[in-house]
Amino acid sequence: SSGINAEWPLRPGERYDAGNLVISQQRFLISGSDVSDDKTSPYGYQWYVPVEYSVDGGATDFKWLKPHSSIVVPFNFSEDSSYIQLNKNSAGYYITNYDFDTWTRFSNHYGDTTNYETLTISERQGLLFETFLLISAGKKPMSVGMELLALMTTNEDADLVPIREISRQISGITVHIRDNSNLTSEWRKKWKPFAEKLYSTADAGGNKPSDYFKLDSPIALPEDTADGNFQKRLLITFAVQLACAYEVEDCVTAATQRFDNYRSDGTELPVDFKSTVLDTVMSKEGALEDDWDFLWNKYLASDQATEKEVIYYALGQFQDEDVLKKFSNYCLNTTLVRTSDALYIMGRSIAYSALGAEVSWKFMQDNWDRLTSDFQNALFAADAYVSGVLSSFSNPTTLAEIEAFFGEEGKKESLGAAAAAYDSAIQSIKANIAWLNKHEASIRSFVDQ
C-alpha cells in the first residue's frame, strides 16, 4: 500500500555523467528519515514505477523503473537550456525530486510565462504539492518553495486547481508563523497582490469576480451545466473569498455593505457568498460587538444545521478576547448550544486564529473539570476539541505550559477518548517548533525582498 506518511516512492532525477541523467527511487518519509522502526518490507520499499518523461519538450518517453535498479536517460548537460520533465501529467503515484542542477534547468525553462502555460493543470498543482512535501521532509530548502510560489502567483489567474493549491500552501505557512504577528502581517502583504489580481481578472466574457460580488447590479453567477460552468462558478467564489481574506479593499467594502443590508432590512445573503461575507465582517479590524451579537441571535434562531455551522465558524473569527470568552461560555450552556456542537465550535472555530487559540487554551485550563464532566457523552468530538485548541502552537513556552498542565495528577487520565489526540497535538507542537527553527529565517528573507 502507498501513503503520504511513509511509502510513496521518491524518484530523484540527477546527473550521472556529462551526457546522461539517472533516475532511481527511494522510500519517502515525511519525517525525512529513510528508516522506520515499526514497519519493514521484504521488498525494501521498492516498486515497479511507471516513468513518463520528456527532454527539452520532445516526445514523451515511457519506461518501467524496476525495484533496486535505475534508468539512464541521455541528456546534454553542456547545453544550458536543456531540461527534463518527469512524471508527465502527474500521472504517476510518486514524488519527483530533481537535484539542484536539473531543478534549476526546469525552473528556468518554466519561469517563462509562455513555457509555463504549456504545463497541464495537474502538472502545475502536482509540482507545488510535491515541492512542499519535499521541503517538509528536508529534501529541498524552503527557498525553492518560495521561488515556486512567486513563479506560480505571477502566472496563475484562471485555473481553480493550481490556484487552490497555491492558497493551501500559503495558508499552511501562515499557520506555522502565526505566533509571530509581525512576520505574519508581512507574509500576508506579500501575497495580497495575488488575491487582488484574481479578484480583478476578467474571464473570456469580460467579467471579473468583483462584478459578481459588488452590491450594485451584480452579475448572476453562472448556472451549473455540463459545459464547465461548475468550475467557473467555484473559481469566482474562491477568488472573492481570497480577496476578502487578504483584505482587498473593494472586496471588504462589498462584504460590509452586504452585511449591513442583511442586518438592517433582512436582505438575504447569496448562498455562494454567505460564509465569505460573515467571515470578513466578523474578522476585520474594528468589527463591532453589536454585529457579533446580531449574528449570534441568528445562530440561535436558525434550525438548519448547515446555516448554523456557517454562522458559528464566522463568530469564532471575531478578534476580541472578551467576546471569544463569552462565546466559549455560551458553548457550555446546553440551552444555547447543542452538546454535539459545542466541542467542535470551541476546537475548530474559536481556536482557529492565533488570538482564539490563546483564549481557548486559557479557557480549557480554567474549565477543565467542567469540560470533562459535562461532555462525557460527546466523546466523539473530544479529539477534535483537544487537537483544535492545542495542535497549532509553535513556541516552547506554551508547549511547557501544556505538558505541565496535563502532567498534574489525574489530568492525563481525564482525557479519556482524547488521549491519543493529546499525544498527537504534542508531537504537532514539537514539529511546529522544529519547522520554525528550520524555516523562519527563509520566510523572513523572502518577505524582506
Side-chain angles (χ1 to χ4, degrees):
S1 63
S2 295
I4 189 172
N5 290 326
E7 295 162 6
W8 279 7
L10 170 71
R11 198 186 70 235
E14 54 193 21
R15 184 170 181 152
Y16 181 68
D17 58 30
N20 293 283
L21 177 146
V22 66
I23 300 170
S24 60
Q25 64 171 303
Q26 65 185 92
R27 188 182 180 198
F28 176 78
L29 291 167
I30 197 68
S31 66
S33 172
D34 221 10
V35 297
S36 178
D37 294 333
D38 59 345
K39 292 182 180 179
T40 58
S41 167
Y43 308 105
Y45 295 100
Q46 295 280 303
W47 307 77
Y48 284 89
V49 181
V51 179
E52 287 188 307
Y53 65 91
S54 68
V55 176
D56 296 339
T60 299
D61 285 327
F62 174 86
K63 288 185 172 64
W64 280 103
L65 175 59
K66 298 177 182 179
H68 307 289
S69 66
S70 59
I71 298 171
V72 177
V73 177
F75 189 83
N76 185 7
F77 281 98
S78 64
E79 179 56 58
D80 291 342
S81 62
S82 287
Y83 70 97
I84 185 169
Q85 182 185 350
L86 300 167
N87 199 11
K88 295 284 287 184
N89 294 313
S90 295
Y93 194 64
Y94 46 75
I95 298 168
T96 300
N97 184 23
Y98 298 92
D99 73 356
F100 178 80
D101 187 14
T102 52
W103 171 255
T104 300
R105 292 167 177 271
F106 180 91
S107 60
N108 284 344
H109 177 78
Y110 287 109
D112 177 86
T113 299
T114 302
N115 294 334
Y116 178 85
E117 291 174 350
T118 65
L119 292 168
T120 66
I121 290 174
S122 60
E123 285 170 346
R124 283 177 268 150
Q125 185 272 339
L127 180 63
L128 189 59
F129 173 73
E130 291 182 2
T131 296
F132 275 91
L133 278 182
L134 291 165
I135 291 169
S136 296
K139 294 184 179 293
K140 281 196 183 299
M142 179 58 75
S143 59
V144 171
M146 297 299 98
E147 291 168 4
L148 186 56
L149 279 174
L151 168 65
M152 294 184 70
T153 53
T154 299
N155 289 288
E156 290 290 350
D157 60 21
D159 294 309
L160 177 66
V161 173
I163 287 171
R164 275 189 163 170
E165 186 64 30
I166 290 168
S167 176
R168 191 176 75 86
Q169 298 300 344
I170 293 173
S171 296
I173 292 175
T174 305
V175 172
H176 276 298
I177 64 175
R178 72 180 190 180
D179 285 351
N180 185 330
S181 58
N182 176 263
L183 181 57
T184 300
S185 176
E186 294 301 312
W187 172 252
R188 286 173 53 80
K189 287 178 184 177
K190 195 77 174 180
W191 304 114
K192 185 175 179 178
F194 176 59
E196 290 174 327
K197 180 180 72 169
L198 295 180
Y199 190 61
S200 59
T201 296
D203 59 20
N207 299 319
K208 301 171 288 188
S210 57
D211 294 330
Y212 298 88
F213 192 57
K214 64 184 181 180
L215 191 64
D216 298 326
S217 303
I219 300 172
L221 284 166
E223 294 292 331
D224 292 345
T225 61
D227 63 2
N229 277 347
F230 177 69
Q231 286 282 320
K232 182 178 179 181
R233 187 186 186 102
L234 288 179
L235 178 60
I236 292 166
T237 56
F238 188 72
V240 171
Q241 176 190 340
L242 209 62
C244 282
Y246 281 87
E247 300 174 359
V248 175
E249 185 176 357
D250 288 352
C251 192
V252 174
T253 298
T256 303
Q257 290 172 337
R258 286 181 176 275
F259 181 85
D260 289 346
N261 290 347
Y262 175 56
R263 181 175 177 181
S264 63
D265 58 24
T267 302
E268 276 300 320
L269 299 171
V271 172
D272 294 273
F273 295 129
K274 187 167 188 173
S275 61
T276 295
V277 170
L278 298 183
D279 289 349
T280 301
V281 173
M282 289 297 104
S283 64
K284 70 177 184 177
E285 186 177 352
L288 302 175
E289 188 170 351
D290 282 351
D291 286 340
W292 191 95
D293 290 335
F294 164 79
L295 194 57
W296 168 248
N297 286 325
K298 284 287 188 180
Y299 172 86
L300 295 177
S302 176
D303 59 1
Q304 298 179 22
T306 302
E307 182 181 39
K308 292 176 84 75
E309 183 176 347
V310 169
I311 293 173
Y312 77 60
Y313 269 109
L315 291 169
Q317 305 311 302
F318 204 82
Q319 294 299 288
D320 181 89
E321 184 174 344
D322 291 336
V323 171
L324 293 179
K325 286 179 181 177
K326 176 172 70 173
F327 193 16
S328 299
N329 279 304
Y330 284 169
C331 289
L332 299 184
N333 186 336
T334 56
T335 65
L336 299 176
V337 178
R338 293 184 305 176
T339 302
S340 58
D341 289 340
L343 292 180
Y344 285 115
I345 294 174
M346 290 189 287
R348 294 178 176 175
S349 170
I350 300 174
Y352 180 77
S353 68
L355 174 63
E358 292 289 349
V359 170
S360 297
W361 165 228
K362 181 67 164 56
F363 188 83
M364 178 186 281
Q365 295 174 83
D366 293 342
N367 296 274
W368 183 251
D369 290 341
R370 185 176 175 185
L371 285 164
T372 54
S373 173
D374 290 1
F375 293 96
Q376 287 183 352
N377 295 324
L379 297 179
F380 55 87
D383 57 345
Y385 173 59
V386 170
S387 176
V389 172
L390 302 181
S391 293
S392 294
F393 286 113
S394 57
N395 64 80
T397 301
T398 306
L399 174 61
E401 290 177 1
I402 293 169
E403 291 184 318
F405 177 77
F406 285 101
E408 295 174 6
E409 185 175 356
K411 284 288 195 320
K412 187 73 180 291
E413 292 73 17
S414 65
L415 280 164
Y422 168 77
D423 290 337
S424 178
I426 293 299
Q427 292 307 310
S428 292
I429 297 170
K430 291 178 179 179
N432 293 341
I433 293 170
W435 189 99
L436 274 179
N437 289 338
K438 186 171 185 178
H439 298 303
E440 187 173 16
S442 293
I443 303 296
R444 167 55 68 189
S445 176
F446 178 74
V447 301
D448 286 344
Q449 291 176 4

